[in-house]
Amino acid sequence: MNSFHYILLSTSIALLAIFVSLPLLRLPNNNHFFFSWRPTIADLVLSNGVIYTSDDSLPFADSMAVRNGRILRVGNYSHVKELVGYGTKELNLMGKIVVPGFIDSHVHLIPGGLQMSQVELHGVNERDEFVRRVKGAVRNSKPGSWILGGGWNNDLWGGALPMTSWVDDVTPQNPVWLSRMDGHMGFANSLALKLAGVTNSSEDPKGGTIMRTSTGEPTGLLVDSAMQIMLPCIPEVSVDERREALLKASNFAVTRGVTTVVDMGRYYPGTSVEFSWQDFSDVYQWADASGKMRIRVCLFFPLEIWSRLHDIINKVGHAMSQWIYLGGAKAFADGSLGSSSALFYEPYVEEPENYGLQVSDYESLINMTLAADNYGLQVAIHAIGDKANDLILDMYDSVLTINGMRDRRFRIEHAQHLAHGASDRFGKLKIVASVQPDHLLDDVESIEKKLGLDRAQKESYLFQTLLNSKAQLAFGSDWPVADINPLRSIRTAMKRIPPNSHDSWIPMECVSLDDALKAFVG
């Protein structure tokens, strides 16, 4: 036995002697204090499963130990069983799969909850059904009350956009406002237009469009910032309604396996920047203080009020509690493809004069981004068209040059259509591409009509190309624009099979199961 082993043995004997010679300490309840080498005991041990860890060094395990809602250990059962003790519940998974709680990286949580109590138009594929649902809402409403709802997608019934004449006969005493599924277009009946003062002579606001007939009559459709004409006329949603919406939305998210969301709030082009702030103070802080939070939220606020966000982070930090994290600031570069307001280099095929809308002034956008970034806030910009994405990539590049390099994780929300070379810039600049796979299912019927076959297939939903460029993909739903359903979104990202088809759309952009899971679990 060498001197090293003697030292170890001597040390062990010495420690044992110290423990044995220590007097027992009396506690107030007259119980004895004693030393124990027993490891922490788990509340729950799962075994005989396929547990996905997202850790490349141990991608899968068969067992896991949990205590007080926290994972203690993951590995094989012989390693985990050490934590089994009195009171431990053991569950044999019998080969079932376990994954971490999903993180939906882009939702509008309270709007989603509110829409659950309004006219539901998702999936409606006939004009008659659209009208029938509006008529049914009128039947259950008092004269003079607003008929609110949304989720309609004109591409599902052939592309024709709704007009006031569709519903005026069934809504003579009720103003109507129904948002398109993407949130970038809204439909009003004639009574609502009258209340908002929209006439033949009304001018289009900057960054928005009042859609008209060939004779100049408003059709009832307001695009992007033009929606701000209507919104002040709609009764404000009460605090109680918003609180109930949060609870409904959170409970629904949990049923889909979503345990964390990045919430972009009630902020769309044309809406008040105050909505997000009101929801933070009236709803989220209330839910947190009263123990009603069900999922973790990372909140983003309008970039216009970044200084307010900075002030509160300066006082309390980013993590307000285990449930609420103050994330960053968001703005918009363009509209949406479905509303023909996404900003492109080339015009829409069926509208040769329409290149889309740039909904934010560039100088204002870069100045706010520079200031917010200088104070350490994460910035996320909505960009869908190829020109809009390049615009924001250029802006982020300028901010990096001016403010210097650091781990800032700028985000581009949606990144749906990318010009040649844009994917490489995501990787080079370390921009997070926050994308929504299920938007592909909603858009695929119209992409080729709006952009032409060549543009559509070269620059749309380039998930694998972004991964090849070392970009960070973050998957989300954009709920309530699309359903909050990570399992379906994972399948969409892997298969890219549109409705009513058996073939993948741009199969080279399909991603692996591992990459899809990582994009949903962080």
Side-chain angles (χ1 to χ4, degrees):
M1 187 178 292
N2 60 35
S3 59
F4 178 69
H5 288 115
Y6 277 120
I7 292 170
L8 285 179
L9 180 60
S10 300
T11 303
S12 300
I13 293 173
L15 287 171
L16 179 61
I18 290 170
F19 290 146
V20 171
S21 64
L22 281 172
L24 295 174
L25 300 180
R26 295 286 181 179
L27 298 179
N29 62 3
N30 292 323
N31 287 330
H32 292 302
F33 174 85
F34 59 91
F35 287 85
S36 173
W37 292 103
R38 187 173 61 184
T40 301
I41 299 302
D43 297 329
L44 173 67
V45 167
L46 307 176
S47 62
N48 191 26
V50 180
I51 301 172
Y52 178 75
T53 69
S54 79
D55 183 346
D56 290 339
S57 66
L58 181 69
F60 293 98
D62 61 43
S63 300
M64 178 170 69
V66 179
R67 182 176 177 84
N68 294 329
R70 300 285 180 177
I71 295 172
L72 294 178
R73 190 176 294 179
V74 177
N76 58 40
Y77 184 68
S78 62
H79 181 56
V80 171
K81 71 178 181 179
E82 300 171 2
L83 304 183
V84 175
Y86 179 76
T88 300
K89 179 181 179 181
E90 293 194 69
L91 179 63
N92 186 336
L93 295 172
M94 295 186 289
K96 291 185 173 64
I97 296 171
V98 176
V99 300
F102 293 119
I103 302 170
D104 192 314
S105 291
H106 187 121
V107 303
H108 303 271
L109 202 58
I110 291 176
L114 290 170
Q115 206 168 101
M116 293 172 76
S117 303
Q118 298 174 345
V119 181
E120 175 56 74
L121 296 170
H122 279 97
V124 171
N125 57 11
E126 294 181 352
R127 167 181 166 172
D128 288 348
E129 177 62 14
F130 180 98
V131 176
R132 188 189 69 78
R133 295 198 184 188
V134 173
K135 185 176 181 179
V138 172
R139 191 181 303 118
N140 296 319
S141 302
K142 296 177 181 179
S145 62
W146 281 76
I147 306 300
L148 303 174
W152 58 271
N153 179 3
N154 52 297
D155 294 322
L156 296 182
W157 59 69
L161 288 165
M163 302 180 67
T164 54
S165 58
W166 286 22
V167 300
D168 278 351
D169 287 347
V170 299
T171 59
Q173 300 180 70
N174 296 88
V176 172
W177 179 248
L178 306 170
S179 60
R180 192 180 187 275
M181 57 169 291
D182 52 24
H184 289 264
M185 178 187 287
F187 169 68
N189 67 348
S190 291
L191 180 55
L193 291 177
K194 181 178 180 181
L195 291 173
V198 178
T199 66
N200 293 30
S201 59
S202 297
E203 295 184 0
D204 289 347
K206 185 175 182 180
T209 303
I210 301 170
M211 298 193 71
R212 308 167 193 274
T213 66
S214 57
T215 61
E217 289 284 334
T219 65
L221 294 167
L222 305 178
V223 182
D224 285 308
S225 65
M227 292 188 292
Q228 67 189 8
I229 301 170
M230 183 62 59
L231 297 182
C233 303
I234 300 172
E236 285 193 24
V237 185
S238 72
V239 172
D240 286 343
E241 287 173 316
R242 287 183 280 132
R243 289 175 176 177
E244 181 63 24
L246 173 63
L247 301 182
K248 281 184 179 180
S250 300
N251 288 331
F252 180 57
V254 169
T255 67
R256 297 299 177 85
V258 174
T259 57
T260 302
V261 298
V262 179
D263 185 9
M264 299 297 173
R266 288 191 296 150
Y267 178 51
Y268 301 95
T271 60
S272 170
V273 298
E274 296 298 325
F275 287 167
S276 294
W277 200 258
Q278 291 166 3
D279 290 341
F280 167 62
S281 59
D282 296 339
V283 180
Y284 281 109
Q285 289 187 293
W286 163 82
D288 194 26
S290 56
K292 295 183 182 296
M293 292 294 294
R294 293 290 312 280
I295 59 176
R296 291 177 173 85
V297 296
C298 173
L299 302 178
F300 271 68
F301 296 80
L303 186 57
E304 293 95 320
I305 56 173
W306 70 265
S307 60
R308 238 189 285 179
L309 175 61
H310 171 259
D311 287 344
I312 194 166
I313 290 174
N314 211 29
K315 293 177 183 176
V316 302
H318 281 279
M320 293 200 65
S321 71
Q322 67 166 325
W323 298 103
I324 299 176
Y325 186 88
L326 302 177
K330 182 197 175 186
F332 291 86
D334 65 347
S336 73
L337 181 77
S339 298
S340 298
S341 56
L343 185 64
F344 288 95
Y345 286 110
E346 297 179 41
Y348 289 84
V349 170
E350 296 176 341
E351 302 175 76
E353 301 301 319
N354 180 18
Y355 291 79
L357 293 172
Q358 181 177 328
V359 300
S360 298
D361 174 71
Y362 180 81
E363 287 302 316
S364 175
L365 198 57
I366 190 171
N367 287 335
M368 289 188 294
T369 301
L370 278 166
D373 175 73
N374 196 45
Y375 281 95
L377 296 179
Q378 187 180 21
V379 176
I381 309 292
H382 163 117
I384 288 183
D386 54 12
K387 186 174 182 179
N389 275 278
D390 278 354
L391 185 78
I392 302 308
L393 288 168
D394 289 344
M395 185 190 75
Y396 281 159
D397 198 1
S398 296
V399 173
L400 295 176
T401 300
I402 296 169
N403 284 355
M405 297 298 295
R406 64 176 176 83
D407 183 13
R408 49 174 46 88
R409 304 187 192 187
F410 280 148
R411 296 166 55 118
I412 291 184
E413 305 304 310
H414 311 303
Q416 281 183 199
H417 307 282
L418 303 177
H420 179 70
S423 297
D424 291 337
R425 298 181 70 194
F426 272 84
K428 178 183 176 183
L429 299 175
K430 302 186 185 305
I431 307 300
V432 176
S434 171
V435 299
Q436 298 73 41
D438 280 346
H439 283 349
L440 182 154
L441 303 180
D442 296 318
D443 284 347
V444 73
E445 292 290 328
S446 62
I447 289 177
E448 293 178 3
K449 293 178 184 177
K450 290 176 180 286
L451 305 184
L453 181 63
D454 186 59
R455 284 167 64 193
Q457 296 200 347
K458 282 183 177 178
E459 61 174 42
S460 302
Y461 296 95
L462 305 183
F463 301 152
Q464 187 59 51
T465 298
L466 283 163
L467 286 173
N468 293 342
S469 300
K470 308 300 181 185
Q472 175 68 52
L473 277 190
F475 280 172
S477 64
D478 202 9
W479 189 68
V481 174
D483 191 15
I484 185 167
N485 190 342
L487 292 178
R488 189 180 78 162
S489 296
I490 288 169
R491 183 182 186 279
T492 300
M494 293 174 60
K495 302 296 185 181
R496 297 174 69 100
I497 299 176
N500 306 316
S501 176
H502 299 289
D503 301 319
S504 296
W505 190 68
I506 320 180
M508 64 184 294
E509 294 298 337
C510 294
V511 304
S512 69
L513 173 60
D514 186 49
D515 284 330
L517 281 169
K518 284 178 177 175
F520 258 123
V521 301

